[in-house]
Amino acid sequence: MKPVRSLARVMLSGIFVVSGVRNFQHPERLVPTAQPITDRVAPLISNVAPQLPTDTTTLVRANSAVQFAAGLLLATGRFSRPAALVLAGTLVPVTIAGHPFWKNDDPMARTNNQIHFLKNLGLFGGLLLAAADTEGKPGLRWRAGHRIGHSRRSVTRAVRTARREARIAALSASTARRLPG
């Protein structure tokens, strides 16, 4: 199953790597589309980290750089689960800003944006699957639960052993007192 997972990750990440590079080099074509979203996000960024730039061009470039880097991580299988989550997070504002089909009056533009919106929704679903994929290994939740169960059993065993040894010691002491000596 490993080759299928590897190929699927590369195929899923391809669009993010390519568009990340393209949008980083030429952010100006996306600035008018991204402006409504960045205008809402900029005050939040200023409140959390006032030293960070909040202009639309920089935010488009930052999103593109994140998509490129996370796309490469996903493609190579390094930190693929966190990378998939990061990509899913970057896809939300891109989809809302880039394909608002509900705002289009022209039927052709509406259909085109709706198709791209649904495509991004499909990519989002694929990224969620990639983020949940443990590659056949137990996930953190299972491992934690298993470790807790193992620890409980160990403690229970230790308590039983201590009780048994205490009983044996008590019996030995009482037997030793009864013996003439």
Side-chain angles (χ1 to χ4, degrees):
M1 200 59 150
K2 179 84 171 146
V4 173
R5 276 190 178 94
S6 298
L7 182 61
R9 280 196 304 260
V10 169
M11 292 168 69
L12 184 58
S13 67
I15 191 163
F16 297 102
V17 172
V18 171
S19 65
V21 169
R22 183 180 301 136
N23 296 337
F24 187 83
Q25 291 173 340
H26 306 289
E28 62 280 348
R29 65 183 189 83
L30 297 175
V31 168
T33 307
Q35 190 80 46
I37 299 293
T38 58
D39 287 347
R40 290 184 189 170
V41 173
L44 297 172
I45 294 171
S46 295
N47 288 342
V48 174
Q51 69 278 12
L52 291 179
T54 57
D55 63 288
T56 304
T57 303
T58 304
L59 293 176
V60 168
R61 276 202 165 118
N63 190 59
S64 301
V66 168
Q67 285 187 340
F68 174 74
L72 285 178
L73 288 173
L74 180 62
T76 59
R78 295 208 180 266
F79 302 107
S80 57
R81 294 177 70 191
L85 281 176
V86 167
L87 287 172
T90 65
L91 198 56
V92 171
V94 168
T95 303
I96 292 170
H99 308 295
F101 65 90
W102 53 92
K103 290 182 179 179
N104 293 117
D105 293 329
D106 177 28
M108 287 292 283
R110 182 182 195 89
T111 300
N112 189 35
N113 272 331
Q114 191 173 31
I115 288 169
H116 286 291
F117 184 91
L118 292 172
K119 173 204 47 122
N120 283 3
L121 200 60
L123 284 171
F124 188 80
L127 290 167
L128 290 180
L129 283 173
D133 181 29
T134 60
E135 297 184 24
K137 300 172 191 162
L140 288 176
R141 181 177 173 195
W142 183 89
R143 283 188 259 174
H146 184 72
R147 186 58 44 208
I148 289 169
H150 179 72
S151 297
R152 282 183 185 155
R153 286 188 301 276
S154 295
V155 167
T156 303
R157 254 185 260 121
V159 167
R160 261 191 252 129
T161 302
R163 283 181 185 157
R164 190 179 328 114
E165 288 176 358
R167 264 186 265 127
I168 291 170
L171 276 169
S172 295
S174 69
T175 307
R177 270 186 265 148
R178 282 189 248 160
L179 291 176

